[in-house]
Amino acid sequence: MEEASADVQARVRASFERQGLMHHLGARIAHIGPGRVHIVLPSRPEVTQQHGYFHAGATSAIADSAGGYAAFTVFREDSSVLTVEYKINLLAPAEGDQLEAIGTVLKSGRTLTVCTLEVYASQGADRTLVASGQQTLIQIQARPER
């Protein structure tokens, strides 16, 4: 997998570190490439629902962040990113050792960017697609992140 430049990786990681929810969930960035970001969430009781599966909220949150940061990799340095909307389909119970959300830029425009979202659950060597979606993000010009 192609890696993003060192500057882009540093900008994405710095922004990710400021996200309280990702820290609270225990999520981490596993890959930053041009137009593609992977976020991993290990299984813990705090991110599950009553049947022991990963909660849909946790699944959706890491998918949203993966897509947002995928878009952020192609945005100008002096801009920031916000989600405009996203739709996610939960395809199977999310159970396993960890989830991996993959956000991929489908089309990047001057203002709006569309990403595809995939979330996989892993149990050992087995990997199952548990969620799929699409997202629209807006590039906010001349407003760098804090």
Side-chain angles (χ1 to χ4, degrees):
M1 288 186 290
E2 186 180 357
E3 296 284 330
S5 72
D7 288 345
V8 168
Q9 286 199 41
R11 185 165 53 105
V12 168
R13 288 188 191 283
S15 176
F16 187 83
E17 290 302 316
R18 291 190 299 273
Q19 282 213 2
L21 181 60
M22 292 297 105
H23 176 74
H24 179 72
L25 292 175
R28 65 176 175 78
I29 291 181
H31 172 75
I32 303 169
R36 188 172 172 103
V37 168
H38 298 219
I39 295 177
V40 172
L41 178 63
S43 181
R44 333 185 329 260
E46 294 83 1
V47 297
T48 61
Q49 46 86 288
Q50 70 276 15
H51 299 292
Y53 303 130
F54 281 92
H55 193 283
T59 303
S60 299
I62 64 169
D64 175 42
S65 287
Y69 284 117
F72 198 46
T73 68
V74 299
F75 286 0
R76 291 180 12 191
E77 187 175 327
D78 67 341
S79 67
S80 59
V81 61
L82 288 175
T83 299
V84 173
E85 62 85 29
Y86 74 99
K87 158 84 165 93
I88 194 155
N89 290 96
L90 303 168
L91 306 172
E95 60 183 330
D97 298 327
Q98 72 175 18
L99 294 181
E100 179 180 23
I102 302 170
T104 306
V105 172
L106 185 61
K107 170 84 168 79
S108 185
R110 200 171 7 154
T111 305
L112 298 178
T113 295
V114 176
C115 290
T116 58
L117 309 172
E118 298 173 306
V119 183
Y120 294 88
S122 298
Q123 181 72 49
D126 294 331
R127 193 167 182 231
T128 303
L129 180 65
V130 297
S132 176
Q134 185 168 302
Q135 175 184 45
T136 303
L137 304 118
I138 189 166
Q139 179 177 193
I140 301 174
Q141 298 295 328
R143 186 173 177 170
E145 295 195 2
R146 298 178 212 179

